[in-house]
Amino acid sequence: MQVSAVLAVDDIDLSDIAFWGRPWDEREGAFQTLRRERPIAFFEEPEIPEALSYVIPKGRGYYALTRYADIAHASRHPEIYQSGRGATSIVDMPEEMLDFFGSMINMDNPRHARLRRIVSAAFNPRMIKSIEDRIDFVANDVIDRVAPLGGCDFVVEVAARLPLAIICDMMGVAASDYDTVFNASNVILSSGDPEYVPEGTDPMVAFMTAAQQLNLLMVDLATYRRAHPTDDVTSALVNTNVDGENLTDTEVAAFFILLVVAGNETTRNAISHGLLALTEHPDQRALWQADPAEIAATGVDEIVRWGSPVIWMRRTVAEETVLGETELHEGDKVIMFYNSANRDEDVFDDPFIFDVRRAPNPHIGFGAAGPHFCLGAHLARQEIDVMFRRLFERLPDIESAGEPDRLLSPFINGIKHLDCRFSPVAAGR
Ligand code: HEM
């Protein structure tokens, strides 16, 4: 990839949605300029749409951390750089949202550790290994549906299907509810994109309605699992007792919303960025296809670095401190731009080259080391690995066709649609 430094440092405004509509190479050029010239730049907060200003007041601005070292430092010091104050979004979360979105990603210790302990067993490498067959089954099923067609919208028909089915499966959500979950998660992460929130609809109302749908679905399931436990994660959540306490239905539902939101779009986008990058870099694709087991071990992480599906997370400063040369004060917001850290020339050789054999690859696409490191990282890696293994085996000439239709969002590096083509084959393994 060639980066284009078309913006001078004073012309870069990360809070302007128009910035995120610029081509990818221009955005990368701007982050390269920030890393070099103003690595901890201050920005005013984005304008709040009028329809939302009654619930979300405009905040006092934020510092954009664009260098790897600063983000790693902030993540390692959660006592100073907190997640629970006002949330990990740029705006502070209004009270009415906390019931739905107040899960562990927006908490600090001791509550964070308590919740993470309950759920971490379900996501450890051993457990993820145990569902490998299921992941494989779903990946094959997804491919069966499109195999005779010779082409499809890769995002909607392929990339989105696997993570959704797996997370619903793990939680014990019925297949008949998948579409509800899929549509609701699109609305929640859409940043008001008109494809998901129709014009004329109050985005806040759409957002809260979607959250309410997921909440109701989960409260029903949690109630049922209390009486009829199985080996799914919901049963573990409702029946585990930590330090004498059980999770409330609201806590279980908020955790489910977090999983659906954190686990679906991200993995879907990683898989879509993967097909795009492998199509644009045929030499890398040839390496992967020649030796899937060997190359996936490094290639999957290169896809996550390259695509950086989660662009940033916020922390809020708890006490006076100094980061780099910047003095920070209590209540200051810092936004950790993972996409920028993942192209930091001080850490990565040739960061703008897509290299499926990159090693070491200390990318922080799953967050940097610290208590909030992505809970689903093993699962996501496994899903990406299995999806490409099966795609290359069953549709060996699959490639993306045409330009990706990108999500206009400062938060998720998303692809909404991506056509793909391949020689049609009959369904069945
Ligand atoms: C390629 C796919 C994925 C990417 C890029 C990704 C990225 C991230 C990032 C950057 C964080 C850090 C948040 C922070 O520091 O505040 C995070 C946290 C989290 N992720 Fe992922 N994620 C992915 C897949 C998944 C999956 C599949 C799941 C679960 C099904 C998941 C569940 C979570 C949860 C629960 C947290 C919060 C952890 C905590 O606060 O302790 N993620 N993820």
Side-chain angles (χ1 to χ4, degrees), residues 235-254:
S235 303
L237 285 171
V238 295
N239 295 311
T240 310
N241 185 303
V242 173
D243 304 335
E245 271 183 274
N246 280 98
L247 290 186
T248 63
D249 281 358
T250 309
E251 284 177 311
V252 174

Side-chain angles (χ1 to χ4, degrees), residues 83 88 104-106 112 116 123 167 255 258-259 262-264 266-267 270 304 308-310 313-315 336 338 364-368 371-377 379-380 383-384:
S83 298
T88 39
M104 63 203 254
I105 202 161
N106 293 323
H112 175 263
R116 183 129 182 165
F123 291 89
I167 201 63
F255 180 67
L258 171 62
L259 285 187
N264 275 324
T266 48
T267 314
V304 177
S308 295
V310 175
M313 282 286 162
R314 164 183 156 194
R315 298 290 187 263
M336 307 184 290
Y338 299 127
I364 50 176
F366 289 119
H372 292 279
F373 181 80
C374 178
L375 178 71
L379 175 60
E383 289 178 4
I384 299 167

Side-chain angles (χ1 to χ4, degrees), residues 32 48 101 121 151 165 168 171 175 233 250 267 270 282 294 298 335 377 399 428:
Q32 188 176 55
I48 308 284
F101 297 101
C168 287
M171 297 296 286
V233 177
T250 309
T267 314
E294 170 79 19
T298 47
I335 306 291
E399 59 180 12

